Amino acid sequence: MDVNAFLDGFGLVTEPQNLLYCLIGVLVGMLIGVLPGLGPAATIAILLPITYSIDPVSAIIMLAGIYYGAQYGGTITSVLLRLPGEASSVVTVFDGFALAKQGKAGTALGIAAIGSFVGATVSILGLTLVAPLIAGWALSFGDPEYAALALLGVLLVATIGNGNKLKAMLAAAFGLLLATIGRDSFSGAERFTFGSLQLTEGIDFVVVAMGLFGVGEILYNLEERHGKPHVPAAVANIWPSRKDLKQSSGAIGRGSLIGFVLGVLPGGGAVMSSLAAYATEKRISKHPERFGRGAIEGVAAPETANNAAATSSFIPLLTLGIPANASMAMLFGALLILGISPGPQLVEERPDLFWGVINSMYIGNLILLVLSIPLVGIFVRILRVRPAILAPITALITILGVYTINNSTFDIFVMIVFGLIGYLMKKVGFEPGPMVLAFVLGSIVEDGVRRSMLIFDGDPTGFFTRPISGTILAAFVLVALWPAAKAALARRKAATVAAAPAERDDADTPTR
Amino acid sequence: MTILIGYVPTPVGEAALEAGLTEAAARGDDVVIVNSPRRGATVDADLVDEAAAAKLVARAAEAGVNARVDHTTHGADVVETFDGLVASTGARLIVIGLRRRSPVGKALLGSDAQRILLDAGVPVLAVKPTA
Amino acid sequence: MSDERTPTPEPGQDILAEIQAEVAHELEEERPPAGGPAYQVVGALVALVVGLGGVVLSYGYGLGSPRQPGPGLWPFVVSIAITLMAVALLVVGRTLTDSEKVTRSSVLPAVGLLTFIVLALLMPVIGFEIPSLLLCVVWLRFLGGESWRSTIITSILTVAAFYFLFLYGLRIPLPHLF
């Protein structure tokens, strides 16, 4: 690891301008984590036009701050209102709200903040050490490896993410197809442009992202969702006791590791790691019946894990140029806008950006630790504002924002079209996330495949004979067939269980 | 008969509750404590939770009054909710607390109390909090 | 991880399951009811049309050979995948419950969409202030159910804030009338 570059990164981060953008980013992140409706991916999408007007490093620092800041914000509503602000805070609801009912809301929030900080910091340390290694190793990747890796990434997001797997894969395939619109870089032929001059350059990623995530979410939220008003639990005691800290130290440690490992997996990320960490704590606890009734580990573990995962999910993006989830896909697009191509060469070509972003996370998490508790009261007060008032503000930011990119109303219309597509997709049960991800990676996959075919002189088995790409594709096939295999196994298990009901009273050993 | 008491957990609401309970005890009325949150908001500071609601009912019982708490939400017009409750319960009186509002404040933020005073279909008892 | 969801007869488990069910129920309550099989079929059919269209068009761009891939080869492969998955969805997807019914409140997003279109059309002609004001009024009063007073005050404040933010704060040019 280049220690000089690492230290230079800190110098960059502590510049007042970057500190300010870091602060703005994490505050906005916490805010949207608290507010129902928009998530970090949608917010980053909506704020993408900002990247055109500010310094690249500042822009990425801010957008990154939004992502991991949102993980802190989601906890507040989980504990105080029994309403998960983010999907990764759903598990915190069980023990967090139970603690709040016992008058210990402050303890829960405090432990969540501490755990989040520790988890994130452990993850950043891991990121600092591991990322340059992976990037160095990946420099030896050729086109076949790239194509295979990008394809695997798309598939993992489609299958591990929530929602029906087949539909997610369909959405992803559609995204791949969308990426082919425009002039083919290899042959110069125009594909799917239908004679339109505007489409010759392909569809602008920012417009697609703002439409699918921004406008789509806004329209979706307009529809009546009968949320009941809640009474927030009072936050009386602020800080957890030493006993609480000691009791949760194990959970925090384990949660950090679980989060770090699962966060790197595309499609895994914060949600999966919070569930896994909670389940692990429950399984190894000597008194598992405490969970769900106010066990402090039940708050510490998932909150630590989701922040650790949010941080480690930067690794695939920064080292391989493969976004691990929708928010990372937005950052990928932001980097493209700034003229930076993400990939293993990022460490060497733009060490200021690489280390600037990573080091900003240390500071960002420190800011979040310090601010998250004092700001709880303010956030609860902000929640009193009716969403109906915030909606037009968000809508205007989006629509005026997309105009400012190219001063073009055509962009607005394209965004509206994709907003409609995004809304309809959600109505019919498709996730827009895999589609955006595949759209972002589409040209990488296609270029990689075509160049590989030229290398292999037309022989597709070349993918499998090369060791690395072969392994990656084997993993691809495994992941693709896993759901079907699991379903078949489950059906066979159900058949044997039905055939021998008397044996069910015996200890049920989990099959995994 | 029934009377409606508009309640929020503030001194103004408390004053209304006290006056309303006294009135109900004197005439032998039942009471519906109207704690109506604004529709759409995630958090409403004026909403009381179940524990607090139970305490209100207990307080009413101590005063010899049969009470229940109603949480019907209201939209932009709170009078509609009250009118609806008057219709469904046959209430003969609404008791609300009055808060001092400057003319500018009333112009910008409006006054639910004023709307109820002017538009409700039954007599309204407006109570000011004891200083 | 799936062990958490496997029901085991443990003492504290029923409370956890209760809370889990309650949270899921609360989240579900907020969404419109699930759409029926018709929605799934429509979704699959749309995907099928896209897939077939892609197959036909990309064939027309020339597939070339594996040795020399033509511009149409990759879209062709992807379109075939889409078509196959769409057929699979048609066959197995009818029983899924992840769609949402189009209810009366679905008019709200439709109106919202319309305001976007109107703003896009009017902005180059008369600047952003008036169309934005209109959008705010529609969203607050008609889509949000706010009172007139709240609507007007919020709309004016919002448009003014955007005016100063974009034109003076960020110095980003927007077509403006004033």
Side-chain angles (χ1 to χ4, degrees):
Chain A
M1 187 183 85
D2 187 357
V3 185
N4 278 331
F6 173 72
L7 292 173
D8 283 342
F10 269 112
L12 200 59
V13 171
T14 46
E15 275 174 34
Q17 179 199 8
N18 290 332
L19 277 178
L20 179 67
Y21 279 110
C22 188
L23 180 68
I24 295 178
V26 299
L27 281 179
V28 171
M30 255 208 292
L31 185 65
I32 50 141
V34 166
L35 288 174
L38 288 181
T43 313
I44 298 178
I46 292 177
L47 292 178
L48 278 175
I50 292 192
T51 52
Y52 286 100
S53 26
I54 61 180
D55 173 65
V57 181
S58 313
I60 302 295
I61 287 180
M62 185 183 85
L63 295 178
I66 295 180
Y67 180 57
Y68 56 86
Q71 308 301 327
Y72 278 80
T75 317
I76 298 180
T77 52
S78 291
V79 170
L80 294 180
L81 302 177
R82 212 179 70 172
L83 258 188
E86 289 297 315
S88 52
S89 302
V90 170
V91 178
T92 316
V93 165
F94 306 147
D95 286 274
F97 189 66
L99 279 168
K101 292 276 285 267
Q102 298 165 18
K104 294 206 214 149
T107 309
L109 289 173
I111 269 291
I114 295 177
S116 300
F117 177 72
V118 172
T121 309
V122 166
S123 204
I124 304 173
L125 282 170
L127 177 62
T128 312
L129 296 170
V130 163
L133 294 175
I134 299 184
W137 175 62
L139 273 174
S140 59
F141 278 12
D143 291 307
E145 279 76 34
Y146 260 112
L149 206 59
L151 210 54
L152 183 65
V154 171
L155 185 69
L156 278 172
V157 173
T159 53
I160 301 189
N162 46 332
N164 179 265
K165 318 289 180 227
L166 183 59
K167 284 181 168 179
M169 284 203 274
L170 251 177
F174 190 57
L176 288 177
L177 194 62
L178 267 180
T180 61
I181 296 181
R183 195 180 296 123
D184 174 26
S185 50
F186 280 75
S187 63
E190 294 202 1
R191 301 185 291 190
F192 304 111
T193 55
F194 305 117
S196 155
L197 203 68
Q198 313 262 25
L199 289 180
T200 338
E201 298 303 313
I203 309 181
D204 193 348
F205 157 78
V206 180
V207 179
V208 170
M210 291 180 78
L212 273 180
F213 280 142
V215 177
E217 283 283 326
I218 294 174
L219 290 179
Y220 186 74
N221 289 333
L222 267 182
E223 212 161 338
E224 193 143 342
R225 280 145 215 300
H226 303 277
K228 300 193 306 272
H230 291 75
V231 187
V235 186
N237 64 326
I238 299 299
W239 220 242
S241 67
R242 193 167 302 181
K243 172 169 162 282
D244 292 322
L245 284 170
K246 201 150 162 267
Q247 206 176 346
S248 4
S249 53
I252 293 182
R254 284 181 287 269
S256 308
L257 284 173
I258 294 178
F260 180 75
V261 170
L262 287 181
V264 186
L265 265 183
V271 180
M272 195 160 97
S273 35
S274 64
L275 286 170
Y278 187 83
T280 308
E281 284 311 303
K282 193 149 176 242
R283 220 177 298 156
I284 67 175
S285 164
K286 294 194 188 67
H287 301 279
E289 66 280 357
R290 286 187 305 121
F291 281 77
R293 301 234 196 118
I296 196 80
E297 300 92 318
V299 172
E303 285 304 313
T304 310
N306 71 13
N307 278 72
T311 310
S312 68
S313 60
F314 279 85
I315 293 185
L317 178 69
L318 293 175
T319 59
L320 300 171
I322 308 279
N325 54 45
S327 306
M328 292 299 129
M330 296 299 111
L331 286 178
F332 183 98
L335 287 170
L336 287 180
I337 296 172
L338 298 165
I340 303 169
S341 38
Q345 72 282 2
L346 188 68
V347 192
E348 313 214 331
E349 280 178 19
R350 291 298 302 258
D352 57 335
L353 188 80
F354 186 86
W355 293 114
V357 171
I358 295 183
N359 294 350
S360 75
M361 296 197 219
Y362 289 103
I363 302 202
N365 274 290
L366 201 61
I367 297 179
L368 282 166
L369 176 69
V370 166
L371 285 184
S372 58
I373 301 296
L375 288 183
V376 165
I378 299 186
F379 282 130
V380 171
R381 217 167 299 163
I382 292 181
L383 276 172
R384 285 205 238 159
V385 179
R386 292 181 287 280
I389 297 186
L390 297 176
I393 301 179
T394 323
L396 277 181
I397 295 181
T398 314
I399 201 168
L400 295 177
V402 83
Y403 180 83
T404 61
I405 302 177
N406 284 323
N407 280 358
S408 134
T409 34
F410 180 74
D411 283 347
I412 304 186
F413 286 115
V414 175
M415 183 183 82
I416 293 178
V417 167
F418 276 98
L420 184 62
I421 294 179
Y423 170 74
L424 291 175
M425 277 174 79
K426 291 183 89 133
K427 285 298 269 191
V428 186
F430 287 84
E431 288 285 316
M435 181 158 132
V436 175
L437 208 91
F439 178 73
V440 156
L441 291 175
S443 29
I444 298 182
V445 178
E446 179 181 7
D447 288 355
V449 169
R450 288 171 81 162
R451 271 196 277 259
S452 312
M453 293 304 265
L454 289 175
I455 295 177
F456 297 141
D457 206 24
D459 183 15
T461 59
F463 281 107
F464 294 93
T465 51
R466 286 168 75 113
I468 302 181
S469 69
T471 329
I472 297 177
L473 282 178
F476 178 96
V477 170
L478 263 170
V479 174
L481 296 179
W482 174 244
K486 214 158 73 139
L489 265 169
R491 249 176 279 142
R492 197 138 49 95
K493 181 168 177 234
T496 43
V497 166
E503 299 181 63
R504 242 207 265 154
D505 291 351
D506 293 353
D508 214 325
T509 32
T511 37
R512 256 287 225 204
Chain B
M1 293 231 64
T2 319
I3 65 175
L4 305 178
I5 304 181
Y7 180 76
V8 289
T10 62
V12 172
E14 290 291 325
L17 187 66
E18 278 303 317
L21 287 178
T22 315
E23 176 74 18
R27 308 287 186 115
D29 293 311
D30 289 339
V31 159
V32 176
I33 303 180
V34 184
N35 183 240
S36 169
R38 179 67 196 259
R39 202 176 306 148
T42 317
V43 164
D44 194 328
D46 293 337
L47 187 62
V48 294
D49 60 14
E50 289 181 18
K55 275 199 216 124
L56 292 178
V57 173
R59 215 166 112 190
E62 266 173 45
V65 177
N66 181 16
R68 68 173 175 93
V69 179
D70 186 284
H71 285 302
T72 318
T73 57
H74 69 269
D77 188 5
V78 72
V79 182
E80 269 179 37
T81 309
F82 273 94
D83 281 344
L85 280 168
V86 166
S88 63
T89 60
R92 64 166 184 90
L93 177 71
I94 299 177
V95 181
I96 57 172
L98 260 193
R99 186 156 71 120
R100 203 151 272 284
R101 274 258 211 221
S102 71
V104 178
K106 268 205 286 254
L108 284 181
L109 301 171
S111 170
D112 280 343
Q114 184 168 312
R115 264 194 291 248
I116 298 176
L117 277 171
L118 292 174
D119 296 334
V122 293
V124 178
L125 175 60
V127 182
K128 286 184 281 289
T130 43
Chain C
M1 193 172 67
S2 50
D3 303 285
E4 193 188 29
R5 280 178 252 139
T6 328
T8 14
E10 251 182 313
Q13 191 75 15
D14 39 351
I15 299 195
L16 178 60
E18 238 176 71
I19 302 185
Q20 247 170 325
E22 264 180 81
V23 170
H25 177 66
E26 236 174 78
L27 291 175
E28 271 307 302
E29 240 182 20
E30 300 193 11
R31 300 174 62 193
Y39 287 78
Q40 308 290 343
V41 169
V42 165
L45 280 178
V46 169
L48 190 64
V49 166
V50 168
L52 288 174
V55 166
V56 167
L57 284 172
S58 46
Y59 192 78
Y61 295 135
L63 297 182
S65 65
R67 193 165 298 208
Q68 289 270 46
L73 185 63
W74 174 250
F76 184 76
V77 170
V78 174
S79 306
I80 298 258
I82 294 180
T83 314
L84 289 174
M85 285 195 271
V87 169
L89 192 63
L90 260 178
V91 170
V92 304
R94 244 173 285 215
T95 51
L96 290 171
T97 56
D98 50 12
S99 65
E100 279 180 20
K101 230 193 268 260
V102 173
T103 59
R104 211 146 38 112
S105 55
S106 306
V107 172
L108 302 172
V111 171
L113 199 71
L114 221 71
T115 59
F116 278 1
I117 298 178
V118 167
L119 197 153
L121 288 171
L122 286 181
M123 187 159 75
V125 181
I126 56 174
F128 81 95
E129 295 95 333
I130 300 184
S132 303
L133 202 68
L134 281 176
L135 186 146
C136 281
V137 167
V138 169
W139 280 57
L140 286 169
R141 174 67 189 168
F142 299 108
L143 303 182
E146 296 284 314
S147 60
W148 271 115
R149 185 180 16 85
S150 165
T151 302
I152 294 179
I153 293 179
T154 311
S155 306
I156 295 183
L157 280 177
T158 306
V159 176
F162 273 93
Y163 183 84
F164 286 110
L165 185 69
F166 274 93
L167 264 47
Y168 290 100
L170 300 174
R171 226 81 57 111
I172 298 178
L174 279 178
H176 59 111
L177 199 59
F178 305 111

